[in-house]
């Protein structure tokens, strides 16, 4: 069962938002429905029973006594018996947040709300008997959810590198709330974080893949540790966790790659599946063992899959994209012995895979046998793996392609979903959390899609159009949920006073900075005086004094002494003499 929440979403948002911010939130949730499996099933096996529900959170401000949408996010939640997947489908802003006239230096309400909302969903959907992974695909685009918002000159659109770093900082806030995970084959630091008196219930670790960037270049996108603990275990890894999601080792690579809507990975998987024979000819003796087992000819491993992703249209259009994951593991599962992988992870958190041949699991090796409690670890096929799989996706910013991944993805998923074990359905449905968050509106899946289609037909090019579009969106939700009028949702007023915005004079007067007798610095604007802490004032370094109190003067350098400088022979380039 999903974990019980100790704090509602409204109070979390109020506690995190700055005291000067007032936002109106509208949260809609779709009822869980059975959907095609995220992962391809191995040959001659049934696909996993999968349920999906959608969450859409919109934030608005009051402008001329009417709500005006400023940003929104959509998250799809997939639930199977052994894994919960949170996929950030879309996130976008309109650029009208500047109408709040927040003081300069105020923390971004967008980043704060997204971090709190994702953290809330993770806590609501995590289970003690299953892993949970947060996944998103970051690619810079002008607009995703709000049509016409790109025409608003106040909308700030990040470039590709800035967007990847921004999303890394968003999820890093969630990562700091959990204990570090122990990555297999990762060297443990000499000095680590303080020892915990009791074992944490969940651990978390983040992964990032930027096609076209090596491990060293990818680490440049990792957020800085805050606070920096010398020798602490790294929280980020350059790589993916697709082989660490509880599936048996030795499966074809296609069985480890999820197929999300409007996902470039899924489109690549569909293209690669064209190499496989159909069901009628799969049992032919003329086919190789690899084709009979569902293995591609051109891609033999996950590292090779990511290498070829570099040349896909979405990743090779002159801009960088980022696939980002955060893996949350309960204590009972992360201690299970994993099957042996020919993979090594260095101390910097970089996963690499040697060019080794296939390895057969042996009963004598405890690292190659599952615990016997997880069917995904005990039902592994007896055949050897052609090549070891790595252990190491997001977007919110999704791709600008059509809403569906492709017709081929839909047809493939439906074909794999034709047969399903009926005795498993009651077990998985019991694990589905049907608790609707306070203030949210529960809609049927068809009604939820109708609301989003209404949003696609709106226009946010200017304030007047955006006000009408916001009202149209709220009325569409009200009609689908039998509400009276468009005035629904809830208001949140920020309570975070830890951030003190700089004082501003109403008459344009420049604040004056003075020092009192105790050495503290004060900033005065008119009759108001604000005392600045010692950490906010940078002082000049005092000159060193000797034992008698005389100030020691630093020895003048060659430049200060006006000494001539001679350039080396390698610095001066002479023109060749022409005879």
């Amino acid at each position: 069962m999903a974990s019980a929440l100790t704090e509602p979403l409204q109070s979390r948002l109020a506690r995190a938002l700055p005291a000067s911010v007032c936002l109106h939130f509208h949260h809609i949730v779709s009822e869980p429905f059975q959907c095609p499996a995220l992962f391809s099933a191995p040959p001659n096996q049934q696909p996993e029973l999968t349920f999906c529900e959608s969450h859409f959170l919109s934030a608005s401000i009051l402008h001329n006594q009417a709500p005006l949408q400023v940003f929104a996010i959509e998250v799809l939640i997939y639930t199977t018996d052994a894994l919960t997947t949170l996929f950030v489908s879309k996130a976008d802003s309109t650029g009208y947040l500047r109408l709040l006239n927040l003081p300069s230096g105020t923390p971004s309400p967008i980043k704060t709300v997204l971090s709190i909302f994702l953290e809330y969903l993770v806590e609501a959907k995590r289970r003690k008997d299953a892993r949970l992974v947060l996944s998103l695909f970051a690619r810079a685009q002008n607009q995703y959810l709000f049509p016409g918002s790109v025409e608003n000159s106040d909308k700030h659109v990040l470039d590709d590198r800035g967007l990847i770093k921004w999303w890394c900082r968003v999820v890093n806030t969630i990562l700091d709330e959990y204990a570090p995970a122990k990555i297999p084959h990762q060297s443990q630091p000499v000095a680590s974080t303080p020892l915990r008196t009791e074992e944490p219930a969940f651990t978390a670790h983040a992964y990032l893949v930027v096609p076209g960037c090596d491990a060293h270049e990818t680490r440049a996108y990792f957020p800085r540790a805050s606070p920096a603990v010398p020798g602490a275990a790294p929280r980020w890894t350059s790589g993916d966790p697709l082989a660490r999601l509880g599936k048996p080792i030795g499966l074809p690579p296609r069985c480890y790659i999820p197929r999300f809507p409007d996902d470039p990975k899924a489109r690549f998987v569909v293209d690669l599946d064209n190499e496989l024979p159909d069901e009628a000819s799969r049992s032919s003796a003329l086919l190789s063992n690899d084709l009979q087992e569902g293995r591609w000819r051109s891609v033999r491993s996950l590292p090779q899959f990511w290498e070829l992703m570099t040349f896909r249209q979405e990743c090779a259009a002159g801009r960088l994209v980022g696939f980002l994951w955060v893996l949350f593991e309960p204590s009972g599962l992360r201690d299970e012995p994993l099957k042996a992988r020919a993979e090594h992870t260095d101390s910097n958190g970089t996963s690499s895979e040697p060019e080794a041949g296939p390895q057969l699991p042996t009963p004598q090796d405890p690292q190659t046998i599952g615990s016997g409690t997880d069917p995904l670890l005990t039902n592994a096929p007896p055949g050897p793996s052609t090549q070891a799989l790595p252990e190491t996706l997001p977007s919110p910013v999704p791709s600008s392609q059509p809403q569906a991944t492709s017709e081929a993805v839909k047809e493939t998923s439906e074909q794999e979903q034709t047969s399903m074990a009926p005795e498993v359905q009651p077990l998985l449905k019991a694990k589905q959390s049907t608790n609707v968050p306070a203030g949210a509106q529960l809609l049927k899946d068809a009604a939820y899609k109708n609301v989003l289609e209404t949003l696609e037909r709106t226009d946010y090019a200017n304030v007047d159009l955006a006000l009408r579009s916001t009202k149209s969106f709220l009325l569409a939700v009200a009609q689908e949920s039998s509400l009276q009028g468009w005035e629904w949702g809830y208001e949140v007023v920020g309570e975070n006073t830890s951030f003190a915005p700089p004082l501003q004079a109403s008459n344009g007067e420049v604040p004056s900075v003075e020092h009192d007798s105790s050495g503290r610095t004060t900033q005065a604007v008119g009759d108001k005086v604000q005392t600045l802490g010692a950490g906010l004032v940078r002082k000049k370094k005092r000159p060193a004094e000797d034992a008698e109190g005389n100030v020691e003067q630093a020895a003048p350098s060659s430049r200060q002494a006006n000494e001539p400088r001679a350039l080396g022979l390698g610095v001066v380039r002479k023109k060749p003499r022409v005879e």
Side-chain angles (χ1 to χ4, degrees):
M1 299 293 293
S3 60
L5 292 174
T6 59
E7 187 179 8
L9 179 60
Q10 292 94 317
S11 56
R12 293 170 186 253
L13 293 171
R15 178 167 44 86
L17 286 172
S20 59
V21 175
C22 176
L23 297 176
H24 293 256
F25 291 93
H26 304 90
H27 187 184
I28 60 176
V29 183
S30 70
E31 293 183 353
F33 63 95
Q34 185 174 339
C35 65
L38 274 182
F39 300 90
S40 300
N44 303 323
Q45 294 190 20
Q46 294 180 350
E48 293 180 292
L49 181 63
T50 307
F51 286 88
C52 176
E53 66 178 89
S54 303
H55 287 252
F56 186 92
L57 181 68
S58 170
S60 305
I61 63 174
L62 282 182
H63 182 71
N64 295 334
Q65 303 301 319
L68 174 63
Q69 286 177 304
V70 291
F71 62 91
I73 179 175
E74 182 186 28
V75 180
L76 307 181
I77 303 178
Y78 298 90
T79 305
T80 65
D81 186 54
L83 179 67
T84 302
T85 304
L86 275 65
F87 175 63
V88 181
S89 175
K90 294 180 179 68
D92 196 8
S93 64
T94 60
Y96 298 114
L97 189 64
R98 56 95 182 170
L99 296 177
L100 285 181
N101 296 322
L102 298 177
S104 177
T106 303
S108 170
I110 299 179
K111 178 178 177 293
T112 301
V113 171
L114 296 187
S115 298
I116 294 298
F117 183 59
L118 293 177
E119 181 183 357
Y120 171 83
L121 293 180
V122 168
E123 185 176 340
K125 297 301 178 180
R126 67 188 184 187
R127 295 176 284 162
K128 296 181 179 179
D129 59 345
R131 295 174 175 86
L132 185 145
V133 61
L134 172 64
S135 176
L136 60 91
F137 168 56
R139 186 179 66 180
Q141 292 291 343
N142 293 331
Q143 59 191 27
Y144 281 103
L145 287 171
F146 301 108
S149 59
V150 65
E151 299 180 16
N152 179 17
S153 58
D154 292 320
K155 181 174 182 177
H156 179 55
V157 180
L158 293 174
D159 59 7
D160 47 3
R161 289 175 173 83
L163 183 65
I164 296 174
K165 291 182 179 180
W166 188 85
W167 274 109
C168 288
R169 292 194 298 268
V170 170
V171 301
N172 194 66
T173 306
I174 309 173
L175 195 66
D176 291 338
E177 300 296 326
Y178 292 83
K182 295 180 180 179
I183 305 301
H185 306 294
Q186 188 179 63
S187 59
Q188 296 300 322
V190 177
S192 185
T193 53
L195 296 178
R196 296 174 178 262
T197 57
E198 57 183 19
E199 188 177 8
F202 290 87
T203 61
H205 194 80
Y207 302 81
L208 177 65
V209 171
V210 182
C213 295
D214 56 22
H216 178 74
E217 295 171 333
T218 302
R219 284 197 294 271
Y221 297 96
F222 294 170
R224 297 180 180 179
S226 178
V229 179
R235 305 300 303 271
W236 288 79
T237 291
S238 175
D240 67 81
L242 299 181
R244 293 184 52 83
L245 301 183
K247 292 196 174 288
I249 283 299
L251 297 179
R254 64 192 296 268
C255 299
Y256 297 94
I257 303 172
R259 296 170 300 174
F260 297 112
D262 195 16
D263 183 20
K265 298 192 315 302
R267 287 187 281 271
F268 191 22
V269 170
V270 171
D271 292 343
L272 292 173
D273 282 346
N274 294 329
E275 303 176 0
L276 302 177
D278 54 18
E279 294 290 340
S281 59
R282 182 168 292 177
S283 59
S284 174
L286 300 178
L287 296 177
S288 62
N289 292 334
D290 288 346
L291 292 179
Q292 293 180 2
E293 295 175 359
R295 300 183 184 277
W296 300 316
R297 291 191 183 98
S298 55
V299 176
R300 311 296 296 178
S301 65
L302 288 179
Q304 190 177 7
F305 175 85
W306 289 115
E307 182 180 356
L308 294 180
M309 273 293 297
T310 307
F311 305 99
R312 298 287 295 179
Q313 179 180 1
E314 294 90 346
C315 305
R319 292 185 177 182
L320 296 177
V321 299
F323 296 87
L324 194 152
W325 302 262
V326 181
L327 178 61
F328 302 86
E329 294 183 289
S331 58
L333 290 182
R334 67 172 181 269
D335 295 333
E336 289 182 351
L338 298 177
K339 293 180 179 292
R341 296 178 176 89
E343 178 187 353
H344 303 279
T345 306
D346 58 23
S347 59
N348 292 327
T350 303
S351 298
S352 60
E353 185 172 308
E355 298 295 333
Q359 296 184 358
L360 281 172
T362 58
Q364 292 78 9
D365 187 1
Q367 296 294 326
T368 63
I369 303 178
S371 63
T373 59
D374 193 340
L376 289 179
L377 294 178
T378 56
N379 294 338
S385 172
T386 57
Q387 186 173 351
L389 295 173
E391 278 187 25
T392 48
L393 146 120
S395 169
V397 217
S399 129
S400 60
Q401 302 296 329
Q403 177 69 22
T405 305
S406 67
E407 291 298 330
V409 175
K410 184 177 180 180
E411 293 175 0
T412 304
S413 302
E414 292 177 351
Q415 292 174 1
E416 294 185 351
Q417 200 76 9
T418 53
S419 60
M420 196 67 68
E423 65 276 5
V424 184
Q425 296 189 17
L427 175 63
L428 185 55
K429 285 184 178 180
K431 294 184 177 181
Q432 275 291 102
S433 175
T434 56
N435 295 330
V436 180
Q441 298 298 323
L442 182 64
L443 304 179
K444 298 283 188 180
D445 179 60
Y448 178 89
K449 293 179 180 178
N450 292 336
V451 170
L452 292 190
E453 290 178 358
T454 301
L455 184 63
E456 293 176 356
R457 296 191 295 267
T458 56
D459 191 356
Y460 292 81
N462 55 57
V463 174
D464 294 334
L465 291 176
L467 287 172
R468 290 197 293 267
S469 299
T470 301
K471 187 176 181 179
S472 175
F473 168 78
L474 298 179
L475 283 174
V477 177
Q479 293 174 0
E480 297 291 349
S481 56
S482 301
L483 293 175
Q484 299 296 329
W486 52 270
E487 296 181 353
W488 60 276
Y490 52 88
E491 181 185 73
V492 173
V493 179
E495 302 173 355
N496 186 3
T497 58
S498 60
F499 168 75
L503 295 176
Q504 297 180 358
S506 58
N507 57 357
E509 179 182 354
V510 179
S512 60
V513 179
E514 301 175 354
H515 300 273
D516 58 12
S517 57
S518 61
R520 295 180 301 177
T521 303
T522 59
Q523 181 181 11
V525 180
D527 297 333
K528 298 181 180 180
V529 177
Q530 180 183 12
T531 302
L532 302 181
L536 301 178
V537 181
R538 179 177 295 177
K539 299 181 179 180
K540 283 187 176 181
K541 187 177 180 180
R542 295 182 177 179
E545 297 181 357
D546 56 14
E548 299 179 357
N550 299 323
V551 178
E552 297 180 358
Q553 299 293 338
S557 61
S558 59
R559 294 184 181 180
Q560 294 174 345
N562 296 325
E563 295 180 357
R565 298 180 61 193
L567 299 179
L569 296 178
V571 179
V572 181
R573 178 180 297 176
K574 297 181 179 180
K575 289 185 178 181
R577 179 178 297 177
V578 180
E579 296 180 355

